[in-house]
């Protein structure tokens, strides 16, 4: 089975539990506020990738009601919940690896913790695709669990007991890919996140703006 599909199946099956456990995104409010700050246009169009139950969407719309958000995910049950939680946003089924096929341009792209389910090669391609679908000066938000990429593998969730293939990513190649695709990094933040089993992981959040040509 495709590593990504393994994760999609789990998230689709556990969508309601995921919503119950992770709807509160207070730990990342400061980074979402900064993301909103750098979106200069009013109103503005935002593509949210791997939107889950719409937890990030809801916070963004609370801060910036002018945002026109298209939320995407591969788990139908996540999209169902996201639409209930955010009746003013639009949602559609889409693979994060297919954003380069979109025929629209956006003022911002949000990908909150979609990278742990994409390989190194896939996230580098994602960054290049994001550059192509962003307006000049557009903003990209990415977050992931940071560790040596070699530690990636099948992990068991302490919350549900399900297994998914989890990729860890490193700031060095992410920032290099951003720079190579004409992005300027405006913020790089690390946060300690405690899992249900008591272990602590480092979350990496990068916000970047597409330079003017």
């Amino acid at each position: 089975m495709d590593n990504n599909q393994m994760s999609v199946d789990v998230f689709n099956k556990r969508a309601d539990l995921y919503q119950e456990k992770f709807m509160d995104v207070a730990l990342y409010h400061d980074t979402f506020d900064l993301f909103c700050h750098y979106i200069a246009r009013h109103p503005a169009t935002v593509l949210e990738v791997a939107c889950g139950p719409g937890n990030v969407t809801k916070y963004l719309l609370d801060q910036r009601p002018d945002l026109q958000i298209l939320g995407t995910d591969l788990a139908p049950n996540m999209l169902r919940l996201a639409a209930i939680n955010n009746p003013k946003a639009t949602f559609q089924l889409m693979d994060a690896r297919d954003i380069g096929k979109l025929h629209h341009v956006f003022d911002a792209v949000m990908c909150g913790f979609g990278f742990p389910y994409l390989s190194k090669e896939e996230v580098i391609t994602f960054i290049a695709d994001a550059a192509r679908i962003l307006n000049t000066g557009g903003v990209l938000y990415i977050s992931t669990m940071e560790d040596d990429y070699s530690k990636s593998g099948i992990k068991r969730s302490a919350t549900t007991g399900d297994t998914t293939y989890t990729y860890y990513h490193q700031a060095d190649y992410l920032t290099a890919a951003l720079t190579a695709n004409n992005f300027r990094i405006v913020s790089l933040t690390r946060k300690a996140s405690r899992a249900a089993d008591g272990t602590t992981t480092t979350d990496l959040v990068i916000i970047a703006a597409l330079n003017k040509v």
Side-chain angles (χ1 to χ4, degrees):
M1 179 185 289
D2 178 281
N3 288 337
N4 184 267
Q5 188 60 49
M6 182 191 308
S7 299
V8 170
D9 290 345
V10 169
F11 286 126
N12 196 52
K13 180 176 67 174
R14 302 293 191 185
D16 290 293
L17 178 59
Y18 186 91
Q19 175 179 248
E20 178 186 333
K21 296 288 185 181
F22 300 109
M23 203 66 192
D24 180 3
V25 290
L27 179 61
Y28 309 99
H29 283 181
D30 59 332
T31 65
F32 298 150
D33 291 344
L34 194 58
F35 173 70
C36 289
H37 170 76
Y38 279 103
I39 303 174
R41 295 190 181 185
H42 295 257
T45 56
V46 179
L47 172 67
E48 185 181 356
V49 182
C51 67
N55 46 358
V56 177
T57 315
K58 188 175 189 307
Y59 184 81
L60 295 179
L61 288 175
D62 285 344
Q63 308 313 304
R64 288 277 304 266
D66 67 290
L67 296 180
Q68 300 166 9
I69 299 180
L70 170 61
T72 65
D73 204 284
L74 260 180
N77 284 331
M78 287 292 195
L79 292 172
R80 172 181 57 81
L81 294 173
I84 294 171
N85 291 322
N86 301 279
K88 293 184 179 180
T90 302
F91 297 94
Q92 74 177 52
L93 191 73
M94 193 187 77
D95 193 322
R97 296 168 292 186
D98 290 338
I99 66 168
K101 298 177 182 178
L102 291 171
H103 299 297
H104 310 289
V105 291
F106 299 87
D107 298 309
V109 173
M110 159 66 67
C111 186
F113 291 100
F115 278 19
Y117 310 102
L118 300 176
S119 69
K120 178 180 179 180
E121 294 75 19
E122 288 167 344
V123 299
I124 290 173
T125 298
F126 181 98
I127 290 169
D129 287 341
R132 286 194 288 271
I133 63 171
L134 276 171
N135 287 314
T136 298
V139 184
L140 172 63
Y141 178 112
I142 54 179
S143 56
T144 188
M145 292 180 288
E146 184 182 29
D147 209 332
D148 192 286
Y149 184 72
S150 65
K151 295 182 180 179
S152 304
I154 294 178
K155 310 294 180 184
R156 183 174 298 277
S157 168
T159 302
T160 67
D162 296 300
T163 57
T164 59
Y165 196 99
T166 302
Y167 293 97
Y168 296 104
H169 293 292
Q170 299 166 211
D172 56 356
Y173 63 73
L174 293 177
T175 55
L178 288 163
T179 302
N181 286 282
N182 203 33
F183 281 102
R184 171 176 57 92
I185 296 168
V186 298
S187 175
L188 190 154
T189 307
R190 291 180 172 89
K191 294 177 178 288
S193 177
R194 185 173 294 276
D197 63 357
T199 60
T200 300
T201 60
T202 299
D203 294 339
L204 174 69
V205 180
I206 303 176
I207 303 173
L210 190 63
N211 291 317
K212 296 180 180 180
V213 179

